[in-house]
Amino acid sequence: MLNLRQMPEYTFPEPILWGSATAGHQIEGDNIHSSHYHNEQAHPEYYDEPSGKACNSYELYKEDIELLKKLGHQAYRFSIEWCRIQPEEGKIDYEALAHYQDMLDRLAEAGIHSSVTLVHFSVPWWFDKKGGFAKAENLHYFTEYIDFIVPKIADRVGSWTILNEFNLSRSLDPIQLDRKIGCLKAHCAGALAVKQYSNAPVSSAHAFVHQDPVRPLDKLDCTMANLSDWMVNEFFFHAVRTGEIVLPYRDMEYMPELKQSCDYWAINYYHRTPVTARSKTGLGTKLEFARYKLVDCDFGQREFNPESFMQCASRITDKPVWITENGICCDDDRFRIMYTMLQLEAMKMALAYYPELKIKAYMHWSLLDNYEWSSYIPRFGLCDVNRETFERTPKPSAWFLKEVIERNGFSGELFEKYVPELSGFTLYEGVNKAIGITIN
């Protein structure tokens, strides 16, 4: 077992752009024109609680920027909510535009790189009612929006993410496949549109989940894992590398403009998924020693499994890699520091094993304890948020990461400074639910 306290001091060979990530619906609050907000109101039975004010960041964004400065963050990935800019079809909210412009101005003044996500899951309710990205005839709404918003902010944006994590579904349902193909085309059209106005690098955030056969020498488990990987990972990488859209039970579609539509690989990495051919879902059960219930709810925790990051990294050496999300939800902040240390060690080892790999950025998920799409119980934040006053309080992990940023590296001595006690950890009873997707 790796002794985190005895790890030698390590400095990354090249400077990494360090920071954190958030999403508008999860932190801003009162996102009333979004598809997610509407679904919370229409189907409360699917939600433990509504998003409400979230972290109230739409009002407190200036405070959040001061917090980023205080914690030494060099970059901040956040989403500009399309539904705020265009709350109704054909209608522009210029106050919302001014809000995001001011936010970008303040980040620039603070010397913080703005990494802007154009769609982080939530879309305008009016667009969702039309079928969203699943219908090809809707694509023009998105490109028209980009043609409006991007020229007004491009001079302050350091990097772009078109869409977030549209790769995750394993479903062979025709509607789900239509949506996945539609999102590929939206990514492509969005990237081409952004490049008309900006020289900043463009990508879409890919949730890279290692599909791990439960029985590595079993042909059936390996076949199922390969199919799962095709559905979740390889279809995206293959499309960007070749222009070919290849999904099961569909004729291949060639889009030459899709080829090389990412300037970098934007990778959201959390955990692996166990895969078996002996279950109708294809989803295996996590090994008992990997079932950590770190929050008091039935939520798919992230394993402490850094070696899977190395296996993922071996497949993305052809472009610069930006880790646009990485983190863990837990009530005991020491687990967050451990998880981050192991991720840093995995990055170090990946760079050693694959000399052509170029890791350019690392953004921790998340800056704040936010709304995790249906509940506030899973806490991913470097900073606690008081649910009544919205006061932000940095946790030890936030100060740990600040020192990592200052060093552009890490050490066992640094770990021991922030985790002096290795007993009395906060864990909860019951088996941690094993799920195969990340949802942040």
Side-chain angles (χ1 to χ4, degrees):
M1 179 179 287
L2 185 64
N3 187 336
L4 296 178
R5 294 185 173 199
Q6 293 183 1
M7 291 173 67
E9 185 170 354
Y10 177 79
T11 301
F12 286 97
E14 295 184 11
I16 288 176
L17 184 66
W18 300 94
S20 57
T22 60
H25 186 74
Q26 294 180 269
I27 68 167
E28 288 183 343
D30 298 325
N31 199 19
I32 62 174
H33 299 292
S34 75
S35 53
H36 279 79
Y37 186 93
H38 172 83
N39 291 333
E40 291 165 24
Q41 308 306 308
H43 299 287
E45 66 272 19
Y46 299 142
Y47 298 83
D48 295 327
E49 53 191 320
S51 55
K53 299 293 288 186
C55 301
N56 202 26
S57 286
Y58 198 78
E59 295 181 15
L60 299 179
Y61 70 98
K62 297 174 187 176
E63 185 174 325
D64 288 344
I65 294 171
E66 289 302 312
L67 186 60
L68 291 165
K69 290 168 58 178
K70 183 178 180 180
L71 297 177
H73 289 204
Q74 302 161 347
Y76 182 45
R77 179 186 171 216
F78 63 97
S79 63
I80 291 178
E81 287 294 285
W82 178 9
C83 55
R84 291 189 187 273
I85 302 295
Q86 202 171 17
E88 299 174 20
E89 183 179 351
K91 178 181 177 181
I92 298 295
D93 186 332
Y94 285 92
E95 289 187 7
L97 172 63
H99 165 89
Y100 288 114
Q101 288 175 321
D102 185 61
M103 184 175 174
L104 286 161
D105 284 341
R106 291 174 183 274
L107 286 166
E109 289 170 6
I112 296 172
H113 174 109
S114 291
S115 183
V116 169
T117 305
L118 292 172
V119 174
H120 196 123
F121 293 146
S122 60
V123 296
W125 171 230
W126 62 263
F127 179 73
D128 191 60
K129 283 193 294 184
K130 292 177 181 289
F133 291 116
K135 293 189 175 181
E137 60 266 30
N138 293 337
L139 184 57
H140 72 95
Y141 294 112
F142 183 50
T143 54
E144 288 166 5
Y145 165 67
I146 289 178
D147 284 335
F148 170 79
I149 187 69
V150 171
K152 295 173 176 57
I153 61 173
D155 60 333
R156 286 151 285 187
V157 175
S159 57
W160 302 91
T161 302
I162 306 300
L163 303 179
N164 184 71
E165 294 188 349
F166 65 84
N167 61 292
L168 282 171
S169 173
R170 287 176 182 76
S171 175
L172 294 175
D173 179 86
I175 294 176
Q176 292 299 321
L177 291 177
D178 286 344
R179 183 184 180 279
K180 189 167 284 189
I181 292 169
C183 285
L184 265 178
K185 293 179 178 179
H187 154 77
C188 179
L192 291 174
V194 166
K195 286 177 177 293
Q196 294 182 54
Y197 310 104
S198 173
N199 293 321
V202 177
S203 191
S204 276
H206 179 89
F208 207 164
V209 186
H210 175 214
Q211 307 299 303
D212 194 18
V214 172
R215 303 165 188 82
L217 300 181
D218 182 273
K219 289 184 178 180
L220 297 179
D221 280 6
C222 289
T223 298
M224 182 61 75
N226 285 334
L227 173 61
S228 187
D229 183 77
W230 176 13
M231 292 296 297
V232 174
N233 296 315
E234 189 58 27
F235 86 93
F236 177 75
F237 297 130
H238 183 81
V240 172
R241 287 174 174 137
T242 68
E244 292 184 347
I245 300 175
V246 185
L247 284 164
Y249 308 111
R250 297 286 179 109
D251 289 336
M252 184 273 286
E253 185 175 350
Y254 181 59
M255 283 186 64
E257 64 271 29
L258 182 57
K259 186 176 181 179
Q260 303 305 326
S261 55
C262 288
D263 296 320
Y264 62 99
W265 296 124
I267 299 301
N268 297 351
Y269 176 78
Y270 292 93
H271 66 157
R272 63 181 169 178
T273 290
V275 179
T276 178
R278 291 158 176 81
S279 163
K280 67 179 181 180
T281 65
L283 185 63
T285 302
K286 286 183 181 179
L287 298 173
E288 194 156 338
F289 53 75
R291 298 177 187 173
Y292 306 110
K293 193 168 186 184
L294 307 183
V295 293
D296 195 15
C297 67
D298 191 18
F299 186 82
Q301 307 303 336
R302 278 57 176 162
E303 290 180 276
F304 292 75
N305 183 244
E307 62 268 28
S308 281
F309 173 81
M310 292 185 60
Q311 295 182 47
C312 291
S314 69
R315 297 168 58 183
I316 48 174
T317 59
D318 56 328
K319 294 180 184 295
V321 172
W322 293 42
I323 299 172
T324 40
E325 290 180 24
N326 174 253
I328 191 167
C329 67
C330 52
D331 286 344
D332 192 323
D333 190 56
R334 290 175 294 176
F335 284 124
R336 182 169 293 104
I337 298 173
M338 290 179 184
Y339 180 92
T340 305
M341 276 286 288
L342 290 170
Q343 173 63 26
L344 297 174
E345 177 69 9
M347 290 162 56
K348 164 190 166 183
M349 295 299 293
L351 289 168
Y353 273 72
Y354 313 114
E356 64 274 30
L357 178 67
K358 303 297 180 186
I359 298 176
K360 296 295 186 181
Y362 174 91
M363 299 183 203
H364 191 90
W365 185 272
S366 176
L367 175 65
L368 306 171
D369 282 338
N370 56 22
Y371 180 67
E372 194 53 39
W373 301 107
S374 66
S375 171
Y376 285 101
I377 294 176
R379 302 200 301 161
F380 279 89
L382 294 166
C383 301
D384 174 78
V385 178
N386 185 296
R387 299 299 324 137
E388 295 182 0
T389 66
F390 302 109
E391 179 183 3
R392 282 88 158 112
T393 304
K395 303 172 187 177
S397 57
W399 302 117
F400 164 79
L401 185 60
K402 182 176 188 291
E403 291 207 43
V404 169
I405 295 169
E406 291 169 351
R407 299 169 182 224
N408 195 48
F410 60 100
S411 68
E413 164 267 326
L414 181 61
F415 173 78
E416 188 168 13
K417 176 179 177 180
Y418 288 96
V419 186
E421 282 292 328
L422 288 171
S423 62
F425 287 95
T426 302
L427 286 166
Y428 297 93
E429 296 295 326
V431 174
N432 169 37
K433 181 174 68 174
I435 62 171
I437 61 170
T438 53
I439 60 174
N440 53 295

